[in-house]
């Protein structure tokens, strides 16, 4: 009887010693089990995995076939087939993108370079479209640029973009689509530096007679690109140009030769300055107009004013 009791006590002591070790080993066993499942993954096996397990399996897949099986099951979760809730119907949802990609961005206004650093977390499945690049506000009706991530191996990369120079907000972005499922994710928003430009013009007799002559120099600018000339004066048959920059503008005219501040007269001198703040996080653009009575900045001033505008944003 004593021997039996002694054996029971020994077994209890051994069991108590093993329990903590088993508890510590459980996560390792779980990860090992998932790796083994991914190595021989099938649609049936994938269907038995939970959403967190599938998300982790994305990083464990080593072949396109494995990645595609895992992805197809993920989509069943995200499009609501398994849960009844479609996750990409929620504003700014980026579940799939976050599973496969992480990225950050920075902008150097002096060189006009947007640098995007990104990490591919998992092998890309087949039949998907996956891009990374930058975009402009819809109001500009201008597309940015992007690269395809399909076929990229797992790892960290850096991609440099040269924005087109529009005087408006822009931001890095990723887009993903497959089998009717779509996601997008926006990165940091930046604003370009608008260099100071000036323009001097003396009103001609022909201009004072034209009914549709309007000075657009302080309208909201949405286009700035290196070119020959800056367009600030819309004339009946030509577009006055100067300097090394070219502006394009949207919005209604804010300086009308016929009425603002009063109808300009032949010989009036018009001076325009347009500039922006030297920071990639400010959307301010300033425009200054001075109108002198004659072709001299020593003559009486008919009008002088400065207006602050904000670049179009998201």
């Amino acid at each position: 009887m004593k021997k039996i009791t002694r054996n029971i006590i020994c077994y209890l002591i051994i069991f108590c010693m093993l329990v903590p070790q088993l508890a510590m080993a459980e996560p390792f066993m779980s990860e090992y089990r998932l790796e083994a499942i991914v190595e021989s993954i099938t649609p049936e096996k994938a269907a038995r995995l939970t959403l967190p397990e599938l998300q982790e399996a994305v990083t464990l897949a080593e072949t396109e076939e494995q990645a595609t099986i895992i992805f197809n099951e993920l989509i069943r979760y995200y499009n609501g087939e398994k849960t009844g809730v479609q996750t990409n119907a929620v504003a700014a949802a980026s579940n799939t993108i976050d599973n496969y990609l992480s990225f950050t961005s920075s902008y150097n206004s002096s060189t006009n370079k947007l640098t995007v650093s990104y990490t591919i977390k998992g092998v890309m499945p087949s039949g998907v479209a996956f891009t990374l690049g930058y975009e402009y506000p819809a109001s500009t009706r201008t597309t940015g640029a992007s690269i395809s991530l399909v076929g990229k191996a797992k790892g960290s990369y850096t991609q440099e973009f040269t924005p087109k120079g529009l005087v408006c907000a822009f931001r890095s972005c990723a887009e993903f689509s497959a089998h009717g499922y779509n996601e997008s994710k926006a990165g940091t928003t930046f604003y370009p530096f608008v260099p100071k430009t000036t323009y001097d013009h003396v009103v001609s007799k022909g201009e004072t007679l034209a009914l549709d002559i309007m000075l657009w120099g302080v309208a909201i600018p949405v286009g700035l690109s290196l070119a020959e000339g800056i367009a600030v004066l819309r004339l009946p048959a030509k577009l006055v140009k100067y300097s090394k920059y070219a502006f394009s503008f949207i919005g209604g005219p804010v300086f009308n030769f016929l009425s603002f501040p009063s109808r300009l007269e032949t010989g009036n001198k018009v001076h325009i300055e347009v500039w922006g703040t030297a920071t990639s996080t400010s959307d301010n653009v300033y425009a200054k107009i001075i109108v002198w009575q004659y072709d001299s900045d020593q003559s009486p001033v008919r009008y002088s004013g400065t207006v602050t505008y904000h670049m179009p944003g998201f």
Side-chain angles (χ1 to χ4, degrees):
M1 185 66 183
K2 291 182 179 180
K3 184 177 181 180
I4 295 175
T5 303
R6 184 171 61 250
N7 289 340
I8 292 174
I9 294 174
C10 289
Y11 292 146
L12 287 173
I13 293 173
I14 293 173
F15 178 76
C16 291
M17 294 175 63
L18 285 177
V19 166
Q21 300 301 319
L22 290 172
M24 293 174 63
E26 192 278 329
F28 170 77
M29 294 296 291
S30 177
E31 181 179 349
Y32 176 79
R33 170 180 169 273
L34 188 57
E35 287 182 354
I37 292 175
V38 171
E39 286 181 3
S40 59
I41 195 74
T42 64
E44 291 74 23
K45 290 181 179 180
R48 292 195 293 269
L49 295 177
T50 64
L51 179 57
E53 287 174 333
L54 286 168
Q55 292 171 332
E56 184 178 352
V58 166
T59 65
L60 300 176
E62 296 295 337
T63 68
E64 184 178 294
E65 181 181 2
Q66 294 171 350
T68 301
I69 292 174
I70 294 167
F71 168 74
N72 289 339
E73 192 61 28
L74 267 176
I75 292 300
R76 292 185 64 202
Y77 272 99
Y78 294 152
N79 67 13
E81 184 178 339
K82 299 195 72 168
T83 63
V85 179
Q86 187 173 350
T87 57
N88 72 334
V90 180
S94 56
N95 300 281
T96 305
I97 291 176
D98 292 338
N99 290 156
Y100 289 90
L101 173 73
S102 64
F103 67 96
T104 59
S105 54
S106 61
Y107 176 64
N108 187 327
S109 59
S110 63
T111 60
N112 190 35
K113 297 296 182 182
L114 174 67
T115 302
V116 182
S117 301
Y118 64 100
T119 299
I120 302 294
K121 301 178 182 179
V123 175
M124 296 293 167
S126 61
V128 305
F130 204 169
T131 60
L132 178 66
Y134 71 95
E135 62 183 356
Y136 290 109
S139 61
T140 66
R141 299 180 181 178
T142 302
T143 57
S146 63
I147 60 170
S148 174
L149 301 180
V150 176
K152 283 271 191 182
K154 289 190 291 186
S156 297
Y157 303 86
T158 298
Q159 180 67 39
E160 192 174 78
F161 297 96
T162 301
K164 298 177 181 179
L166 301 189
V167 183
C168 65
F170 61 92
R171 64 189 180 190
S172 55
C173 63
E175 295 185 350
F176 181 95
S177 62
H179 314 305
Y181 180 86
N182 303 285
E183 282 185 6
S184 63
K185 183 173 185 177
T188 306
T189 297
F190 300 103
Y191 297 91
F193 167 58
V194 181
K196 191 169 187 176
T197 56
T198 60
Y199 173 68
D200 290 285
H201 178 70
V202 177
V203 180
S204 68
K205 182 177 181 180
E207 291 169 350
T208 61
L209 298 177
L211 296 179
D212 61 344
I213 299 175
M214 296 179 183
L215 186 62
W216 286 68
V218 293
I220 301 174
V222 295
L224 171 64
S225 59
L226 292 177
E228 287 298 321
I230 176 171
V232 294
L233 188 64
R234 179 160 292 182
L235 303 177
K238 67 177 181 178
L239 204 61
V240 177
K241 297 181 178 181
Y242 79 100
S243 186
K244 295 181 179 179
Y245 298 95
F247 276 103
S248 62
F249 302 102
I250 62 171
V254 295
F255 194 108
N256 191 320
F257 272 72
L258 302 179
S259 62
F260 180 72
S262 61
R263 180 167 177 170
L264 295 185
E265 300 174 352
T266 302
N268 287 169
K269 179 180 179 180
V270 181
H271 174 80
I272 305 169
E273 296 179 11
V274 179
W275 70 96
T277 53
T279 168
S280 62
T281 58
S282 174
D283 64 350
N284 289 341
V285 176
Y286 306 96
K288 180 179 181 179
I289 290 181
I290 303 176
V291 179
W292 287 281
Q293 183 69 48
Y294 307 113
D295 183 11
S296 170
D297 54 11
Q298 301 302 314
S299 62
V301 175
R302 295 192 59 191
Y303 173 82
S304 178
T306 300
V307 184
T308 301
Y309 291 93
H310 299 283
M311 302 182 205
F314 295 96

